[in-house]
Amino acid sequence: MNKMNIVGIGPGDREYLTLGAIETIENSDVLVGSQRSLDLFDYVDAKMVVLEPRDIPKTVKMAVSYLDDGLKVSVLSTGDPGFSGMLKTMQKLSPKTKVNVIPGISSVQLAAAKVQIPWDTANLLTIHGGRAPTEDLLEKLDNTRPNIVLPNRHISELAEYLIDHGYSPEHEITICEKLSYPDEQIVQVTLGEAKNMDFGYMCVVII
């Protein structure tokens, strides 16, 4: 039986795709991923299945049905599948499906490289997926080393949360937005400033 490929496609730009990811994707019959992910491979002769956040269980079930039909199926996971990616989702929604994981470059790795943090010394956290910060986040933050955080959709909400839980409004954080894209920006601001700033959802925050 074929295994479902879960392929890490990096932070967004084609230069961060691995050769293994490209080969696997180009030899697939079905590609499943966000529209942004699929657009990277519009030249591939494969059935394209758009993975919408509200329809993930239904789409995963569809992908498994294609696999059961004997087709080569690749699920595209932005960044690396193993960090706030599709590996956890597949294990939860279809635990009996055999998978083949092709790792990719995550935005966490790229942020660490841009800011020159050895990321094996950092504390890696995620509240990705639209969840608001909770007390659990406060417990996981480590003030003895850099915290590299994949935030929820609202940086301002994260900044307000930190201020409300004892961090000074003058505490500096680094925001890496749209890493690898032409309009990438990396800014260092205070929590007080971030509370009133508008960033997109494609961000990494270093606290």
Side-chain angles (χ1 to χ4, degrees):
M1 178 182 291
N2 286 338
K3 290 184 178 181
M4 177 85 71
N5 296 312
I6 306 178
V7 187
I9 62 167
D13 191 277
R14 290 187 61 82
E15 71 173 310
Y16 290 102
L17 287 166
T18 66
L19 294 175
I22 292 171
E23 182 179 0
T24 299
I25 290 166
E26 290 181 346
N27 285 285
S28 297
D29 301 309
V30 181
L31 298 180
V32 180
S34 67
Q35 189 62 60
R36 179 167 61 91
S37 300
L38 295 172
D39 286 345
L40 287 170
F41 306 100
D42 56 5
Y43 64 93
V44 176
D45 183 19
K47 182 176 179 60
M48 304 289 186
V49 178
V50 178
L51 186 66
E52 298 284 1
R54 63 182 178 275
D55 291 329
I56 288 177
K58 178 181 176 182
T59 309
V60 166
K61 185 176 180 180
M62 183 189 305
V64 172
S65 72
Y66 284 127
L67 189 71
D68 291 342
D69 289 340
L71 298 177
K72 296 177 182 177
V73 181
S74 290
V75 176
L76 310 183
S77 184
T78 52
D80 181 86
F83 190 77
S84 199
M86 284 300 296
L87 176 58
K88 186 189 298 183
T89 300
M90 286 297 304
Q91 289 175 334
K92 178 181 178 181
L93 295 178
S94 189
K96 293 183 179 180
T97 300
K98 301 295 184 182
V99 299
N100 177 39
V101 180
I102 294 95
I105 304 297
S106 79
S107 56
V108 165
Q109 289 171 270
L110 188 52
K114 293 281 186 176
V115 185
Q116 298 183 17
I117 295 173
W119 64 287
D120 60 347
T121 68
N123 184 31
L124 308 183
L125 301 171
T126 178
I127 52 173
H128 209 42
R131 299 184 298 275
T134 64
E135 298 296 332
D136 183 56
L137 174 64
L138 197 66
E139 294 171 2
K140 291 179 178 178
L141 289 170
D142 184 346
N143 292 323
T144 67
R145 53 185 176 150
N147 296 277
I148 305 180
V149 182
L150 285 182
N152 62 327
R153 289 182 176 270
H154 304 289
I155 300 293
S156 57
E157 192 176 73
L158 174 61
E160 184 174 4
Y161 167 89
L162 292 173
I163 292 171
D164 289 346
H165 287 80
Y167 280 74
S168 167
E170 300 304 313
H171 189 96
E172 290 190 338
I173 62 173
T174 301
I175 300 170
C176 306
E177 183 181 28
K178 295 184 178 179
L179 288 169
S180 84
Y181 285 87
D183 51 349
E184 166 186 301
Q185 67 167 337
I186 298 174
V187 297
Q188 190 169 51
V189 297
T190 66
L191 288 173
E193 291 170 332
K195 185 178 175 180
N196 299 304
M197 297 175 75
D198 185 26
F199 291 93
Y201 74 95
M202 293 170 59
C203 288
V204 179
V205 180
I206 300 170
I207 303 169

